[in-house]
Amino acid sequence: DVTVKILRGGRGAEVKIGGYIFDKDAVKNFKDLVGSDAYYRVQIKPKTKKQSSTEFPMASVKACALEMSGFLEAFTFHLDSFGNVLALDYKTPIVACGGKKPKKKVAEGIKFRSKGRIASVQEGKKPDLTKLILAEKNKAAP
């Protein structure tokens, strides 16, 4: 469980991500993911929403790439105009493992180095309805 706080203020929004630290069970599970060339998945579950888990945004990276990058991860949270997370991008600096040695092997006490940013909805240009209505009327004239 990691807490992500999205703080709104006069200068936009800020992301604070609590650092996840591997425990014994997580180490075993992560090693299994790396060994089977699988993906490490993250899912956003807001504390205030009562939704099914299939409605929460999810993203993934190759487990070996996360280990190769020394557990450095970057998130982009895509918000709607109400501040709800609609989607997220999840990346590591390394995307392919290719048999290389990781910077840090997974072990108890290893801490994720997480960064985050916000991508807010930007309102598009509004059409001039008067011009559209007049253009339609002009087309209909014989």
Side-chain angles (χ1 to χ4, degrees):
D1 239 5
V2 173
T3 301
V4 176
K5 290 184 181 178
I6 299 172
L7 308 170
R8 294 196 165 275
R11 296 187 319 214
E14 175 187 351
V15 178
K16 290 189 176 187
I17 302 173
Y20 177 76
I21 299 174
F22 278 102
D23 62 15
K24 186 178 180 179
D25 291 335
V27 168
K28 182 199 175 305
N29 292 337
F30 193 85
K31 284 181 179 180
D32 290 345
L33 290 175
V34 172
S36 61
D37 199 32
Y39 285 83
Y40 179 81
R41 291 181 297 204
V42 294
Q43 188 173 35
I44 301 295
K45 295 181 182 179
K47 289 182 178 182
T48 58
K49 300 261 179 171
K50 302 229 185 305
Q51 299 168 295
S52 74
S53 63
T54 59
E55 295 174 321
F56 299 130
M58 185 186 314
S60 61
V61 295
K62 290 283 260 188
C64 62
L66 184 56
E67 187 176 48
M68 292 287 298
S69 68
F71 301 95
L72 177 61
E73 57 187 358
F75 295 92
T76 301
F77 299 94
H78 299 271
L79 308 180
D80 66 12
S81 56
F82 301 106
N84 300 309
V85 179
L86 297 175
L88 76 144
D89 298 331
Y90 181 41
K91 298 178 182 178
T92 60
I94 295 173
V95 292
C97 304
K100 298 175 187 172
K101 299 264 189 229
K103 288 182 180 180
K104 285 185 183 176
K105 282 272 195 190
V106 66
E108 279 186 67
I110 293 280
K111 187 175 181 180
F112 279 67
R113 298 178 300 140
S114 308
K115 305 281 184 209
R117 71 178 198 87
I118 302 292
S120 298
V121 172
Q122 293 182 359
E123 201 169 307
K125 187 176 178 182
K126 294 181 181 173
D128 184 344
L129 295 178
T130 306
K131 287 182 181 177
L132 289 173
I133 292 168
L134 290 174
E136 285 297 313
K137 281 186 179 180
N138 289 338
K139 285 183 188 176

